[in-house]
Amino acid sequence: MTRARLMSLLPFAALAALASLAPLPFSPRPTTRELTVVARQFAFEPPVLHVNRGDRVRLIVRAADVVHGIHVDGYAREVRVAPGISQHVEFVANRTGKFRYRCSVTCGTLHPFMTGELIVSPNSGFVRAVALVLIALAATLVSLRQLPPEGQG
């Protein structure tokens, strides 16, 4: 590889280092998120909960029809709730990813399908990987377009 070609890629290497190490500008500060989850045969409302990593999550769980329970996988939190009475589940969302929550009390024939999803974001690893791929693609295109192939010129 020629010196000129290496020098043309230097800004991309610096940009890749910056994308790997810099704090993400959209990472919100941790806060307390209070979310209401209503359990009814055979679903949770809402079926998907979104929080940010580091948030203190406080779930207010209500049963609309029969006795239900909620178990949040990955956080070892569980509570049983009867109709007309709300219960609280609290934890800190300290891991990013998708976590299933499910009914922990047999509530009928479709009980095994009574699940929901807790999404803890941002997934900064994914964002950084996409940034690095885009930088590498741009560096490749610049290298191929601006400089003649080796051996010519």
Side-chain angles (χ1 to χ4, degrees):
M1 191 174 273
T2 65
R3 184 176 176 90
R5 194 174 293 245
L6 284 175
M7 293 305 285
S8 71
L9 296 178
L10 189 61
F12 293 102
L15 193 57
L18 182 66
S20 297
L21 302 174
L24 294 174
F26 57 83
S27 295
R29 292 184 174 266
T31 185
T32 299
R33 301 286 309 264
E34 193 168 287
L35 304 165
T36 300
V37 177
V38 178
R40 70 181 71 234
Q41 290 180 318
F42 297 97
F44 287 106
E45 293 175 15
V48 179
L49 303 173
H50 293 272
V51 299
N52 295 314
R53 183 176 182 180
D55 285 352
R56 172 168 291 287
V57 179
R58 184 170 195 222
L59 298 179
I60 301 167
V61 185
R62 295 187 177 116
D65 44 20
V66 298
V67 175
H68 291 282
I70 189 168
H71 174 82
V72 183
D73 292 345
Y75 288 99
R77 296 293 189 264
E78 186 172 337
V79 70
R80 182 182 176 114
V81 60
I85 301 171
S86 61
Q87 296 286 344
H88 303 276
V89 177
E90 287 192 40
F91 58 93
V92 175
N94 57 3
R95 295 183 304 264
T96 59
K98 293 181 179 182
F99 302 91
R100 181 110 15 234
Y101 59 92
R102 55 191 162 79
C103 184
S104 57
V105 174
T106 304
C107 58
T109 55
L110 297 177
H111 164 76
F113 303 102
M114 189 172 169
T115 62
E117 191 171 59
L118 171 70
I119 299 175
V120 182
S121 60
N123 189 343
S124 62
F126 176 73
V127 171
R128 290 182 196 280
V130 168
L132 290 173
V133 166
L134 292 175
I135 291 167
L137 178 63
T140 302
L141 292 175
V142 166
S143 177
L144 292 173
R145 189 151 202 248
Q146 290 185 343
L147 298 172
E150 289 188 34
Q152 292 181 353

